[in-house]
Amino acid sequence: MNIRIRHKKTTLFAFIALLLAASLTSLYCWWNTNVWGDDAFCEGTLPSGDVQAALDTPGRVSQIFSQTATGRSEFNCAVERSSRFIGQDNLRMKVKTGTAEGAFPFTTATWKQPAARSYFARGAVSDTSGYVILPRSCWDKVGNIQGSRTIAPGPDTVAIVEASVEGGPAHRRSLARLLTHTAQKVAEAAGCSDDELGEPVTLVAPDAPRTAVSHNLCGLKGFSLPKSAVAEGVAEPGHEQLNETPHTRVCDVDLDGTDNARVSFTATTDSTIIDAALREEKEFKDIPGASGSVVGTNEAVLQCAEGKVYFAANWSNEYEDVLLDHRRHRQPTYSEVRRATFQNFLDAAAASQNCPQVSMPR
């Protein structure tokens, strides 16, 4: 009799243990994986597999919010990867359509440190952000959503899909794939899809930062900052980071003495960037004697031996503040220093691209 009771108790305890293990396993899967999760997020725009791969840490992905424009392809959404008991910080990713002006990746403060990105056809990614430029036929059709309203595209704007990640790094190749797949869906919805949005094949990693050589900056022979652009002890060339792909060469020069003081230089044959830059026609002037070449304050598009090349220089806000303070009530003026800096870069970079030598207008 006692043996039979003990056997029943053992069987009951074993059943309870199995039930508890199954419950804990189910809870773990629910909290830390996407088992029984959604196949896509943001009204089907973001495939779950792409999101999980981009947020390359254990956890469960869920949608935080989603906005779409009725009858249009604009969207704005956020997803989050959270976990329990495995010591992972939450990762949040925001993805949206947007409008940008001109060659935005190389001219705006929004997209910092261009040399630290990995570039692919029509886009680029870093550990915390990325973008894909939509086909040209989409630029007049796709806008963005801010707050409760849709901002329509304008005559000078470029249509993009962009992403930002908070709480940790993204997986670069997977983020590039997510952006490309999302851009394809947006273009299809807007009726402007074409073959330009191909799968990202290779990502070129930037070179590691290195000590800057003041008279050969960015690996360009003879390229240096004008003396008036250097403030001793406040803004002097310290380190530089170079990024070279088959079509784009970008260099960030970090200036010692002031946190985040930096100037970036770009040369690219990417036709999408060139078209985006020239969309802001009012920013450029024709160069006499150089057919097909135009120049702006800190940008130029030159007709070179093998086609057009876009050049740009971009100052961080911190470096601009240093220059404004350093050149106050002094000659040359702040604007003249910026012009001379871009001229020095243009002279060195144009020669390396087999482009004509041009002079910046005053």
Side-chain angles (χ1 to χ4, degrees):
M1 188 70 166
N2 289 336
I3 294 175
R4 189 175 299 174
I5 292 173
R6 284 199 298 269
H7 178 71
K8 288 182 177 180
K9 286 184 177 179
T10 301
T11 302
L12 179 62
F13 289 150
F15 175 76
I16 292 173
L18 287 172
L19 184 62
L20 182 60
S23 298
L24 290 175
T25 299
S26 296
L27 283 174
Y28 180 88
C29 289
W30 178 259
W31 282 332
N32 297 296
T33 74
N34 264 68
V35 174
W36 309 300
D38 295 328
D39 293 331
F41 304 102
C42 308
E43 313 303 327
T45 306
L46 305 184
S48 177
D50 285 349
V51 174
Q52 292 176 61
L55 301 179
D56 187 29
T57 58
R60 186 173 186 82
V61 178
S62 56
Q63 181 175 299
I64 304 301
F65 73 86
S66 177
Q67 292 176 288
T68 57
T70 303
R72 296 183 60 85
S73 57
E74 287 84 2
F75 79 96
N76 182 11
C77 74
V79 294
E80 185 175 68
R81 164 155 276 178
S82 58
S83 60
R84 301 281 183 91
F85 313 129
I86 56 178
Q88 293 286 345
D89 293 332
N90 288 0
L91 280 179
R92 177 172 290 196
M93 178 166 62
K94 298 178 181 178
V95 187
K96 65 176 184 176
T97 54
T99 54
E101 294 186 347
F104 67 94
F106 309 111
T107 59
T108 65
T110 302
W111 298 94
K112 305 178 187 297
Q113 294 180 267
R117 303 177 202 139
S118 295
Y119 291 86
F120 56 97
R122 309 188 62 82
V125 291
S126 70
D127 290 340
T128 58
S129 64
Y131 66 86
V132 166
I133 301 176
L134 290 165
R136 295 167 183 80
S137 55
C138 295
W139 292 0
D140 295 321
K141 296 181 179 180
V142 179
N144 64 15
I145 298 177
Q146 290 187 8
S148 60
R149 65 195 183 104
T150 299
I151 299 178
D156 298 336
T157 60
V158 176
I160 65 174
V161 173
E162 59 181 298
S164 61
V165 179
E166 299 174 354
H171 186 278
R172 290 195 179 201
R173 185 180 301 280
S174 297
L175 181 58
R177 187 176 295 111
L178 166 69
L179 284 165
T180 301
H181 291 170
T182 304
Q184 289 168 343
K185 289 190 174 184
V186 169
E188 289 171 3
C192 51
S193 181
D194 58 27
D195 296 330
E196 295 182 50
L197 288 167
E199 190 81 12
V201 180
T202 58
L203 294 184
V204 178
D207 292 347
R210 64 192 184 192
T211 301
V213 179
S214 58
H215 57 281
N216 288 314
L217 289 177
C218 302
L220 293 172
K221 185 176 180 180
F223 174 42
S224 63
L225 299 180
K227 290 183 179 180
S228 54
V230 177
E232 187 175 349
V234 180
E236 301 178 275
H239 289 82
E240 64 183 25
Q241 186 169 27
L242 186 63
N243 192 333
E244 293 185 275
T245 73
H247 54 72
T248 300
R249 191 178 199 274
V250 191
C251 179
D252 296 332
V253 179
D254 290 326
L255 302 163
D256 288 346
T258 300
D259 287 344
N260 299 318
R262 179 182 300 110
V263 58
S264 301
F265 301 97
T266 302
T268 181
T269 58
D270 186 335
S271 61
T272 303
I273 293 296
I274 293 171
D275 287 348
L278 295 177
R279 198 158 167 86
E280 293 191 293
E281 294 182 24
K282 60 183 180 296
E283 299 296 327
F284 292 95
K285 298 178 181 178
D286 291 332
I287 301 175
S291 178
S293 298
V294 293
V295 65
T297 305
N298 305 306
E299 301 173 89
V301 176
L302 302 185
Q303 184 62 52
C304 305
E306 297 181 5
K308 289 185 177 181
V309 182
Y310 169 79
F311 301 90
N314 188 36
W315 286 254
S316 69
N317 292 334
E318 293 79 7
Y319 185 33
E320 286 189 332
D321 290 342
V322 168
L323 286 180
L324 285 167
D325 183 63
H326 187 60
R327 304 314 307 175
R328 185 175 289 116
H329 308 307
R330 300 176 64 181
Q331 293 294 327
T333 65
Y334 163 77
S335 59
E336 289 170 339
V337 170
R338 285 177 60 109
R339 183 188 301 112
T341 301
F342 185 52
Q343 182 72 67
N344 283 10
F345 169 64
L346 201 56
D347 289 344
S352 70
Q353 296 277 348
N354 199 15
C355 301
Q357 295 294 305
V358 300
S359 297
M360 292 288 294
R362 294 184 176 275

